[in-house]
Amino acid sequence: MSTISDEPVGAGWRRTDGRIGLRNHVIAFSTVALTDRITDLAAAHVPGTLPICPSFQRGLRGPDAQLQADMIRAVIAHPNVGAALVVTHDRAAAADLKAASKGFGKPIIVVPLMAHSGMQAALDIMVSDLRLLVAQVSDSQKIAMHLSDLTVALECGGSDATSALCANPTIGRFVDRLIAAGGTAIVSETAEFLGGEQVVRSQSRTPEVAADILGYLRAEEEMMKADGIDYRGVNPTQENIEAGLSTLTEKTMGAICKIGKSKFAGTLGFGEQPVGRGLFFMHTPFFSPTSLTGMVLGGAQINLFAVGVYNPSGLPLAPTIKICGNPITCAEWSDSIDMDVSGTVSGNSTCEDPANGIPDLIGQISEGKLTCAERWKEGQIIVPMSRLPL
Protein backbone atom coordinates (compact mmCIF):
# COMPACT_ATOMS: atom_id res chain seq x y z
CA MET A 1 0.00 0.00 0.00
CA SER A 2 1.28 3.47 -0.83
CA THR A 3 2.18 5.93 1.91
CA ILE A 4 -0.92 7.43 3.52
CA SER A 5 -1.07 10.97 4.86
CA ASP A 6 -1.56 11.36 8.60
CA GLU A 7 -5.22 12.30 8.31
CA PRO A 8 -7.32 13.77 11.13
CA VAL A 9 -9.79 11.33 12.69
CA GLY A 10 -11.71 13.45 15.16
CA ALA A 11 -10.62 15.04 18.42
CA GLY A 12 -9.39 13.91 21.80
CA TRP A 13 -7.72 14.94 25.04
CA ARG A 14 -3.94 15.37 25.15
CA ARG A 15 -2.35 13.86 28.26
CA THR A 16 0.89 15.02 29.86
CA ASP A 17 2.72 11.92 28.57
CA GLY A 18 1.88 12.94 24.99
CA ARG A 19 -0.83 10.35 24.37
CA ILE A 20 -4.35 11.36 23.33
CA GLY A 21 -7.52 10.01 24.93
CA LEU A 22 -10.46 9.06 22.77
CA ARG A 23 -12.57 9.23 25.93
CA ASN A 24 -12.23 11.46 29.00
CA HIS A 25 -13.53 9.00 31.57
CA VAL A 26 -13.83 9.80 35.24
CA ILE A 27 -13.33 6.35 36.72
CA ALA A 28 -14.19 4.92 40.12
CA PHE A 29 -11.47 2.29 40.35
CA SER A 30 -11.43 -0.46 42.97
CA THR A 31 -7.92 -1.86 43.35
CA VAL A 32 -8.93 -4.98 45.30
CA ALA A 33 -12.04 -7.17 45.38
CA LEU A 34 -12.75 -6.12 48.96
CA THR A 35 -13.67 -2.62 47.77
CA ASP A 36 -15.50 -3.51 44.56
CA ARG A 37 -19.01 -3.19 46.00
CA ILE A 38 -18.60 0.21 47.64
CA THR A 39 -16.78 1.57 44.58
CA ASP A 40 -19.62 0.44 42.33
CA LEU A 41 -22.16 2.03 44.70
CA ALA A 42 -20.29 5.33 44.68
CA ALA A 43 -20.16 5.41 40.87
CA ALA A 44 -23.90 4.71 40.70
CA HIS A 45 -24.54 7.91 42.68
CA VAL A 46 -22.61 10.17 40.29
CA PRO A 47 -23.66 10.43 36.63
CA GLY A 48 -20.75 10.55 34.23
CA THR A 49 -18.52 8.15 36.13
CA LEU A 50 -17.29 4.75 34.99
CA PRO A 51 -16.91 1.99 37.61
CA ILE A 52 -13.83 -0.21 37.17
CA CYS A 53 -14.04 -3.15 39.58
CA PRO A 54 -11.82 -6.02 38.37
CA SER A 55 -11.88 -8.15 41.56
CA PHE A 56 -8.12 -7.93 41.99
CA GLN A 57 -6.61 -10.18 44.65
CA ARG A 58 -4.53 -9.72 47.76
CA GLY A 59 -1.70 -12.05 48.75
CA LEU A 60 -0.08 -12.37 45.34
CA ARG A 61 3.65 -13.04 45.22
CA GLY A 62 6.51 -12.63 42.76
CA PRO A 63 5.69 -11.94 39.09
CA ASP A 64 1.93 -12.12 39.72
CA ALA A 65 2.11 -9.38 42.35
CA GLN A 66 4.27 -7.22 40.10
CA LEU A 67 2.01 -7.70 37.08
CA GLN A 68 -1.12 -6.78 39.03
CA ALA A 69 0.60 -3.70 40.50
CA ASP A 70 1.72 -2.65 37.02
CA MET A 71 -1.79 -3.10 35.64
CA ILE A 72 -3.32 -1.03 38.46
CA ARG A 73 -1.03 1.82 37.47
CA ALA A 74 -1.80 1.24 33.78
CA VAL A 75 -5.53 1.65 34.43
CA ILE A 76 -5.00 5.01 36.14
CA ALA A 77 -2.50 6.23 33.54
CA HIS A 78 -4.56 5.11 30.53
CA PRO A 79 -5.04 7.92 27.98
CA ASN A 80 -8.84 7.43 27.99
CA VAL A 81 -8.91 8.28 31.72
CA GLY A 82 -9.28 11.98 32.48
CA ALA A 83 -9.57 11.63 36.26
CA ALA A 84 -9.71 8.81 38.79
CA LEU A 85 -11.06 7.99 42.22
CA VAL A 86 -8.82 5.13 43.33
CA VAL A 87 -10.15 2.99 46.17
CA THR A 88 -7.83 0.80 48.24
CA HIS A 89 -8.56 -1.37 51.26
CA ASP A 90 -5.78 -0.18 53.54
CA ARG A 91 -3.72 2.94 54.18
CA ALA A 92 -0.40 1.42 53.09
CA ALA A 93 -1.71 0.59 49.61
CA ALA A 94 -3.21 4.08 49.39
CA ALA A 95 0.12 5.70 50.27
CA ASP A 96 1.91 3.72 47.55
CA LEU A 97 -0.64 4.69 44.90
CA LYS A 98 -0.68 8.34 45.96
CA ALA A 99 3.06 8.47 45.41
CA ALA A 100 2.83 6.69 42.06
CA SER A 101 -0.04 8.88 40.84
CA LYS A 102 1.83 12.16 41.20
CA GLY A 103 3.46 11.69 37.83
CA PHE A 104 0.29 10.90 35.87
CA GLY A 105 -0.67 14.53 35.30
CA LYS A 106 -4.40 14.18 35.89
CA PRO A 107 -6.77 14.67 38.85
CA ILE A 108 -6.50 11.58 41.08
CA ILE A 109 -7.96 11.02 44.55
CA VAL A 110 -6.90 7.90 46.47
CA VAL A 111 -9.25 6.71 49.23
CA PRO A 112 -8.43 3.89 51.70
CA LEU A 113 -11.67 2.26 52.85
CA MET A 114 -10.31 1.40 56.29
CA ALA A 115 -9.48 5.03 57.03
CA HIS A 116 -13.20 5.70 57.53
CA SER A 117 -15.69 4.83 60.25
CA GLY A 118 -18.41 2.82 58.62
CA MET A 119 -19.53 2.08 55.08
CA GLN A 120 -21.90 5.04 54.85
CA ALA A 121 -19.18 7.50 55.86
CA ALA A 122 -16.83 6.01 53.28
CA LEU A 123 -19.52 6.05 50.61
CA ASP A 124 -20.36 9.70 51.30
CA ILE A 125 -16.71 10.71 50.93
CA MET A 126 -16.32 8.75 47.68
CA VAL A 127 -19.46 10.28 46.17
CA SER A 128 -18.25 13.76 47.11
CA ASP A 129 -14.83 13.05 45.60
CA LEU A 130 -16.35 11.75 42.37
CA ARG A 131 -18.53 14.85 42.00
CA LEU A 132 -15.44 16.99 42.45
CA LEU A 133 -13.56 15.04 39.78
CA VAL A 134 -16.45 15.24 37.30
CA ALA A 135 -16.54 19.01 37.78
CA GLN A 136 -12.78 19.24 37.23
CA VAL A 137 -12.82 17.50 33.85
CA SER A 138 -16.08 19.01 32.58
CA ASP A 139 -14.35 21.92 30.82
CA SER A 140 -11.34 19.98 29.50
CA GLN A 141 -10.36 21.15 26.03
CA LYS A 142 -10.08 18.76 23.09
CA ILE A 143 -7.53 18.91 20.29
CA ALA A 144 -7.39 17.42 16.80
CA MET A 145 -6.52 13.73 16.72
CA HIS A 146 -4.77 12.01 13.81
CA LEU A 147 -4.19 8.41 12.76
CA SER A 148 -0.65 8.67 14.14
CA ASP A 149 -2.10 9.39 17.60
CA LEU A 150 -3.93 6.07 17.68
CA THR A 151 -2.95 2.78 19.27
CA VAL A 152 -5.51 0.20 18.11
CA ALA A 153 -6.10 -3.24 19.61
CA LEU A 154 -6.91 -6.01 17.10
CA GLU A 155 -9.16 -8.84 18.25
CA CYS A 156 -11.39 -11.56 16.83
CA GLY A 157 -13.87 -13.94 18.43
CA GLY A 158 -16.64 -16.32 17.53
CA SER A 159 -14.69 -16.93 14.34
CA ASP A 160 -16.29 -18.55 11.30
CA ALA A 161 -15.63 -18.61 7.56
CA THR A 162 -16.80 -15.01 7.15
CA SER A 163 -14.18 -13.89 9.67
CA ALA A 164 -11.47 -14.88 7.20
CA LEU A 165 -13.39 -13.69 4.14
CA CYS A 166 -14.35 -10.19 5.20
CA ALA A 167 -14.24 -9.09 8.87
CA ASN A 168 -10.54 -9.74 9.51
CA PRO A 169 -9.43 -8.56 6.02
CA THR A 170 -11.41 -5.35 6.56
CA ILE A 171 -9.44 -4.74 9.74
CA GLY A 172 -6.22 -5.68 7.94
CA ARG A 173 -6.75 -3.07 5.26
CA PHE A 174 -7.36 -0.41 7.88
CA VAL A 175 -4.25 -1.52 9.79
CA ASP A 176 -2.12 -1.04 6.67
CA ARG A 177 -3.51 2.49 6.38
CA LEU A 178 -2.94 3.15 10.10
CA ILE A 179 0.66 1.93 10.08
CA ALA A 180 1.48 3.82 6.88
CA ALA A 181 0.24 7.00 8.55
CA GLY A 182 2.47 6.48 11.61
CA GLY A 183 -0.05 4.89 13.95
CA THR A 184 0.28 1.80 16.14
CA ALA A 185 -1.58 -1.51 16.30
CA ILE A 186 -1.34 -4.39 18.77
CA VAL A 187 -2.38 -7.97 18.01
CA SER A 188 -2.39 -10.74 20.63
CA GLU A 189 -3.63 -14.26 21.48
CA THR A 190 -0.43 -16.26 21.06
CA ALA A 191 -2.17 -19.62 20.54
CA GLU A 192 -4.03 -18.24 17.55
CA PHE A 193 -0.77 -17.68 15.68
CA LEU A 194 0.13 -21.38 15.76
CA GLY A 195 0.25 -22.46 12.13
CA GLY A 196 1.07 -18.94 10.98
CA GLU A 197 4.82 -19.15 11.50
CA GLN A 198 5.66 -18.48 7.86
CA VAL A 199 3.55 -15.32 7.92
CA VAL A 200 5.43 -14.20 11.03
CA ARG A 201 8.76 -14.77 9.27
CA SER A 202 7.75 -12.88 6.15
CA GLN A 203 5.96 -10.05 7.98
CA SER A 204 8.55 -9.05 10.57
CA ARG A 205 10.79 -6.05 10.11
CA THR A 206 13.87 -7.95 11.26
CA PRO A 207 14.86 -11.58 11.83
CA GLU A 208 15.21 -10.75 15.52
CA VAL A 209 11.57 -9.67 15.79
CA ALA A 210 10.46 -12.84 14.01
CA ALA A 211 12.60 -14.95 16.35
CA ASP A 212 11.03 -13.30 19.41
CA ILE A 213 7.49 -14.03 18.20
CA LEU A 214 8.36 -17.58 17.17
CA GLY A 215 9.85 -18.12 20.62
CA TYR A 216 6.52 -17.21 22.20
CA LEU A 217 4.74 -19.60 19.81
CA ARG A 218 7.07 -22.50 20.65
CA ALA A 219 6.66 -21.94 24.37
CA GLU A 220 2.87 -21.73 23.99
CA GLU A 221 2.70 -24.95 22.02
CA GLU A 222 4.89 -26.79 24.51
CA MET A 223 2.58 -25.68 27.32
CA MET A 224 -0.49 -26.80 25.37
CA LYS A 225 1.06 -30.17 24.54
CA ALA A 226 1.17 -30.89 28.26
CA ASP A 227 -2.56 -31.68 27.88
CA GLY A 228 -1.64 -34.56 25.57
CA ILE A 229 -3.49 -32.92 22.67
CA ASP A 230 -2.14 -31.64 19.36
CA TYR A 231 -3.98 -28.32 19.28
CA ARG A 232 -3.01 -27.66 15.67
CA GLY A 233 -5.34 -30.48 14.68
CA VAL A 234 -8.36 -29.44 16.73
CA ASN A 235 -10.22 -26.27 17.53
CA PRO A 236 -10.40 -25.24 21.20
CA THR A 237 -13.82 -23.54 21.24
CA GLN A 238 -17.21 -25.07 20.61
CA GLU A 239 -18.67 -22.04 18.81
CA ASN A 240 -15.87 -22.16 16.21
CA ILE A 241 -16.54 -25.83 15.52
CA GLU A 242 -20.26 -25.19 15.16
CA ALA A 243 -19.48 -22.26 12.85
CA GLY A 244 -17.60 -24.55 10.46
CA LEU A 245 -13.91 -24.21 11.36
CA SER A 246 -12.10 -27.51 11.68
CA THR A 247 -8.61 -26.82 13.06
CA LEU A 248 -6.68 -24.22 15.02
CA THR A 249 -4.41 -23.68 12.00
CA GLU A 250 -7.45 -22.93 9.84
CA LYS A 251 -8.61 -20.41 12.43
CA THR A 252 -5.11 -18.92 12.59
CA MET A 253 -4.94 -18.24 8.87
CA GLY A 254 -8.19 -16.31 9.09
CA ALA A 255 -7.27 -14.47 12.27
CA ILE A 256 -3.89 -13.38 10.96
CA CYS A 257 -5.61 -11.41 8.20
CA LYS A 258 -6.12 -8.70 10.86
CA ILE A 259 -2.54 -7.51 10.41
CA GLY A 260 -2.93 -6.89 6.67
CA LYS A 261 0.42 -6.58 4.90
CA SER A 262 2.07 -4.72 7.76
CA LYS A 263 5.28 -5.96 9.35
CA PHE A 264 5.82 -6.56 13.04
CA ALA A 265 7.95 -3.88 14.69
CA GLY A 266 8.39 -5.68 18.01
CA THR A 267 6.97 -7.89 20.76
CA LEU A 268 5.32 -7.02 24.06
CA GLY A 269 4.67 -8.72 27.35
CA PHE A 270 1.16 -8.66 28.80
CA GLY A 271 -0.01 -5.05 29.24
CA GLU A 272 3.33 -3.64 28.07
CA GLN A 273 3.22 -0.30 26.28
CA PRO A 274 4.83 -0.19 22.82
CA VAL A 275 8.01 1.81 22.40
CA GLY A 276 7.84 3.49 19.03
CA ARG A 277 5.16 3.01 16.41
CA GLY A 278 4.05 0.25 14.09
CA LEU A 279 2.55 -3.22 14.48
CA PHE A 280 3.32 -5.10 17.72
CA PHE A 281 2.71 -8.67 18.84
CA MET A 282 1.62 -9.08 22.48
CA HIS A 283 1.93 -12.44 24.25
CA THR A 284 -1.46 -13.13 25.87
CA PRO A 285 -3.90 -15.98 26.53
CA PHE A 286 -6.52 -16.60 23.83
CA PHE A 287 -9.56 -15.71 26.00
CA SER A 288 -10.77 -12.46 24.41
CA PRO A 289 -11.48 -10.46 27.62
CA THR A 290 -7.97 -11.26 28.83
CA SER A 291 -6.25 -10.43 25.55
CA LEU A 292 -8.25 -7.20 25.27
CA THR A 293 -7.16 -6.33 28.81
CA GLY A 294 -3.52 -6.75 27.86
CA MET A 295 -3.77 -4.62 24.73
CA VAL A 296 -5.85 -1.84 26.28
CA LEU A 297 -3.67 -1.60 29.38
CA GLY A 298 -0.77 -1.50 26.93
CA GLY A 299 -2.25 1.82 25.78
CA ALA A 300 -4.80 1.04 23.05
CA GLN A 301 -7.49 3.73 22.99
CA ILE A 302 -9.86 1.69 20.80
CA ASN A 303 -10.47 -1.95 19.81
CA LEU A 304 -11.37 -3.41 16.42
CA PHE A 305 -13.13 -6.72 17.08
CA ALA A 306 -14.00 -9.09 14.21
CA VAL A 307 -16.85 -11.46 15.03
CA GLY A 308 -18.41 -14.33 13.08
CA VAL A 309 -20.94 -15.69 15.55
CA TYR A 310 -21.61 -13.14 18.28
CA ASN A 311 -19.09 -12.62 21.08
CA PRO A 312 -20.07 -10.43 24.09
CA SER A 313 -16.56 -9.16 24.84
CA GLY A 314 -15.39 -5.61 25.32
CA LEU A 315 -13.26 -3.51 27.65
CA PRO A 316 -14.74 -0.68 29.75
CA LEU A 317 -11.83 1.74 29.27
CA ALA A 318 -11.72 1.63 25.47
CA PRO A 319 -14.54 1.62 22.90
CA THR A 320 -14.85 -1.66 20.98
CA ILE A 321 -15.95 -1.57 17.33
CA LYS A 322 -17.52 -4.93 16.48
CA ILE A 323 -17.18 -5.80 12.79
CA CYS A 324 -19.13 -8.73 11.35
CA GLY A 325 -19.46 -10.35 7.93
CA ASN A 326 -21.92 -13.09 8.83
CA PRO A 327 -25.36 -11.96 7.55
CA ILE A 328 -27.18 -14.18 10.06
CA THR A 329 -25.25 -12.74 13.00
CA CYS A 330 -25.73 -9.19 11.68
CA ALA A 331 -29.50 -9.78 11.53
CA GLU A 332 -29.93 -11.59 14.84
CA TRP A 333 -27.50 -9.38 16.79
CA SER A 334 -28.10 -6.08 15.01
CA ASP A 335 -28.17 -4.25 18.35
CA SER A 336 -24.62 -5.41 19.08
CA ILE A 337 -22.76 -5.02 15.76
CA ASP A 338 -21.17 -1.67 14.87
CA MET A 339 -20.13 -2.43 11.30
CA ASP A 340 -21.88 -4.87 8.94
CA VAL A 341 -19.40 -6.02 6.27
CA SER A 342 -21.51 -8.92 4.96
CA GLY A 343 -21.71 -7.14 1.61
CA THR A 344 -18.32 -8.67 0.89
CA VAL A 345 -19.90 -12.13 1.07
CA SER A 346 -22.84 -11.16 -1.15
CA GLY A 347 -20.57 -9.40 -3.64
CA ASN A 348 -22.09 -5.97 -3.05
CA SER A 349 -18.84 -4.50 -1.72
CA THR A 350 -15.16 -5.23 -1.14
CA CYS A 351 -13.17 -5.24 2.10
CA GLU A 352 -11.70 -1.91 1.01
CA ASP A 353 -15.06 -0.14 1.23
CA PRO A 354 -15.75 -0.67 4.97
CA ALA A 355 -12.05 -0.31 5.79
CA ASN A 356 -12.23 3.21 4.39
CA GLY A 357 -15.16 3.89 6.72
CA ILE A 358 -13.33 2.94 9.93
CA PRO A 359 -11.58 6.34 10.34
CA ASP A 360 -14.94 8.10 9.98
CA LEU A 361 -16.47 5.82 12.61
CA ILE A 362 -13.55 6.45 14.98
CA GLY A 363 -14.12 10.17 14.47
CA GLN A 364 -17.80 9.80 15.39
CA ILE A 365 -16.81 7.84 18.50
CA SER A 366 -14.34 10.57 19.47
CA GLU A 367 -17.26 13.03 19.32
CA GLY A 368 -19.33 10.95 21.73
CA LYS A 369 -20.98 8.20 19.69
CA LEU A 370 -21.23 5.07 21.85
CA THR A 371 -20.26 1.69 20.47
CA CYS A 372 -22.66 -1.19 21.01
CA ALA A 373 -20.35 -2.69 23.64
CA GLU A 374 -20.35 0.61 25.51
CA ARG A 375 -24.14 0.82 25.41
CA TRP A 376 -24.44 -2.71 26.80
CA LYS A 377 -21.56 -2.08 29.25
CA GLU A 378 -19.84 -5.22 28.01
CA GLY A 379 -16.44 -6.39 29.12
CA GLN A 380 -14.24 -6.73 32.17
CA ILE A 381 -10.60 -6.39 33.10
CA ILE A 382 -8.95 -9.79 33.55
CA VAL A 383 -5.24 -10.09 34.35
CA PRO A 384 -3.80 -13.63 34.03
CA MET A 385 -2.24 -15.12 37.15
CA SER A 386 0.23 -17.99 37.15
CA ARG A 387 -0.67 -19.35 40.57
CA LEU A 388 -3.16 -18.96 43.41
CA PRO A 389 -2.31 -16.43 46.14
CA LEU A 390 -1.09 -17.66 49.49
Side-chain angles (χ1 to χ4, degrees):
M1 180 174 286
S2 59
T3 302
I4 301 293
S5 62
D6 185 15
E7 60 192 278
V9 286
W13 291 266
R14 178 76 72 182
R15 307 305 180 195
T16 57
D17 61 5
R19 295 184 291 175
I20 288 184
L22 197 67
R23 291 282 185 254
N24 200 32
H25 289 307
V26 175
I27 62 170
F29 177 31
S30 170
T31 61
V32 64
L34 294 169
T35 57
D36 281 3
R37 176 56 179 158
I38 194 167
T39 302
D40 195 47
L41 284 171
H45 279 75
V46 184
T49 61
L50 176 68
I52 303 291
C53 303
S55 297
F56 283 151
Q57 301 181 61
R58 297 182 89 188
L60 297 174
R61 296 291 185 270
D64 288 342
Q66 186 61 58
L67 177 61
Q68 183 168 282
D70 290 344
M71 295 304 94
I72 287 172
R73 288 163 175 76
V75 168
I76 304 168
H78 194 275
N80 285 351
V81 173
L85 173 70
V86 181
V87 184
T88 70
H89 178 257
D90 56 80
R91 293 177 177 85
D96 289 344
L97 284 175
K98 282 180 182 178
S101 298
K102 289 180 180 178
F104 292 156
K106 62 183 69 172
I108 298 168
I109 299 174
V110 183
V111 175
L113 175 64
M114 299 307 291
H116 299 88
S117 300
M119 291 288 282
Q120 188 63 54
L123 179 62
D124 291 344
I125 288 292
M126 292 176 195
V127 168
S128 176
D129 288 339
L130 281 173
R131 287 174 177 157
L132 175 64
L133 292 171
V134 169
Q136 285 183 281
V137 304
S138 61
D139 59 352
S140 300
Q141 298 299 307
K142 300 175 75 172
I143 65 169
M145 181 175 62
H146 294 73
L147 281 176
S148 61
D149 294 310
L150 291 176
T151 298
V152 180
L154 312 178
E155 184 65 56
C156 59
S159 299
D160 65 4
T162 69
S163 300
L165 289 172
C166 44
N168 284 321
T170 293
I171 292 174
R173 282 163 172 77
F174 169 76
V175 168
D176 287 339
R177 182 173 179 174
L178 173 74
I179 301 303
T184 300
I186 305 173
V187 67
S188 63
E189 297 194 29
T190 306
E192 293 200 352
F193 274 76
L194 294 175
E197 288 83 358
Q198 187 52 46
V199 176
V200 170
R201 293 186 185 96
S202 64
Q203 289 189 222
S204 292
R205 288 184 184 175
T206 67
E208 291 76 17
V209 170
D212 286 345
I213 299 173
L214 294 173
Y216 280 128
L217 298 187
R218 283 192 297 272
E220 186 79 5
E221 187 162 26
E222 287 301 313
M223 180 190 70
M224 295 169 76
K225 282 182 177 178
D227 293 341
I229 301 172
D230 177 9
Y231 277 94
R232 290 178 187 254
V234 300
N235 200 297
T237 59
Q238 186 63 32
E239 66 267 24
N240 299 141
I241 298 169
E242 293 174 353
L245 299 184
S246 58
T247 67
L248 181 58
T249 299
E250 185 178 40
K251 184 179 182 182
T252 291
M253 299 315 294
I256 213 166
C257 294
K258 295 194 299 292
I259 69 172
K261 297 178 181 178
S262 299
K263 293 184 179 293
F264 287 108
T267 59
L268 303 168
F270 187 92
E272 183 180 356
Q273 187 175 329
V275 176
R277 298 175 178 177
L279 173 66
F280 289 82
F281 175 90
M282 180 178 286
H283 177 47
T284 74
F286 72 81
F287 186 41
S288 53
T290 311
S291 60
L292 280 171
T293 296
M295 292 186 287
V296 170
L297 296 190
Q301 305 113 313
I302 195 163
N303 313 309
L304 298 182
F305 196 130
V307 296
V309 298
Y310 183 63
N311 183 305
S313 293
L315 213 289
L317 285 178
T320 297
I321 297 175
K322 294 197 176 176
I323 301 171
C324 183
N326 185 320
I328 297 174
T329 302
C330 289
E332 293 181 348
W333 296 86
S334 59
D335 58 358
S336 301
I337 302 298
D338 299 285
M339 182 174 283
D340 179 347
V341 297
S342 60
T344 306
V345 177
S346 65
N348 293 325
S349 68
T350 68
C351 293
E352 202 69 44
D353 297 329
N356 290 335
I358 291 176
D360 290 337
L361 182 52
I362 292 174
Q364 293 170 33
I365 291 167
S366 79
E367 295 298 334
K369 178 183 176 68
L370 295 180
T371 64
C372 294
E374 287 180 301
R375 288 202 308 269
W376 289 112
K377 303 185 187 304
E378 289 177 332
Q380 52 282 129
I381 291 174
I382 301 177
V383 175
M385 297 287 109
S386 62
R387 60 182 180 178
L388 293 174
L390 298 176

